[in-house]
Amino acid sequence: MTVLYPIFCTADIPVKVLDELLNQANEWEYVDGEMLCFVTTKDISKLKKVSQPPMASFESPFLGMDVESINDFVKTHCHGTGLCSKLFAVLDNKTPEEKTCLL
């Protein structure tokens, strides 16, 4: 079974940074079926399921949201959709410079 780990952007993140993250992630050793998925819409049914480079530019619907609000979104919208509802990443305004995320 595929497990999709959702990634949320709370700031404008350059596509170059998103691609770097995905390229690095492709080098990791995953358990079969584990993949990353940028959440580019609040309508989970319209989500492209697996994110791969090169990423297309998008405006995140989560701009300016705090982690607690995203956690609430995950709890109410991700369970049973194929997106992991227990672990997610948040890319914020520090991500482009520091190459960090919140888990």
Side-chain angles (χ1 to χ4, degrees), residues 25-57:
N26 284 336
E27 295 175 10
W28 301 337
E29 290 189 31
Y30 290 99
V31 173
D32 286 341
E34 292 182 335
M35 307 294 263
L36 300 178
C37 178
F38 280 97
V39 182
T40 58
T41 176
K42 288 187 176 181
D43 183 350
I44 299 299
S45 68
K46 293 183 179 179
L47 200 59
K48 179 183 174 195
K49 293 298 182 184
V50 175
S51 297
Q52 294 289 330
M55 284 288 295
S57 180

Side-chain angles (χ1 to χ4, degrees), residues 1-87:
M1 179 167 99
T2 300
V3 177
L4 297 171
Y5 293 105
I7 303 173
F8 297 87
C9 296
T10 61
D12 284 321
I13 309 295
V15 172
K16 178 183 175 188
V17 174
L18 303 180
D19 287 342
E20 287 174 9
L21 171 74
L22 292 172
N23 284 325
Q24 286 178 354
N26 284 336
E27 295 175 10
W28 301 337
E29 290 189 31
Y30 290 99
V31 173
D32 286 341
E34 292 182 335
M35 307 294 263
L36 300 178
C37 178
F38 280 97
V39 182
T40 58
T41 176
K42 288 187 176 181
D43 183 350
I44 299 299
S45 68
K46 293 183 179 179
L47 200 59
K48 179 183 174 195
K49 293 298 182 184
V50 175
S51 297
Q52 294 289 330
M55 284 288 295
S57 180
F58 68 94
E59 183 174 329
S60 173
F62 305 97
L63 293 178
M65 288 179 69
D66 59 29
V67 174
E68 187 174 308
S69 298
I70 292 175
N71 187 50
D72 291 342
F73 178 87
V74 169
K75 287 180 184 176
T76 56
H77 293 91
C78 294
H79 184 73
T81 65
L83 289 173
C84 181
S85 59
K86 298 185 187 279
L87 179 66

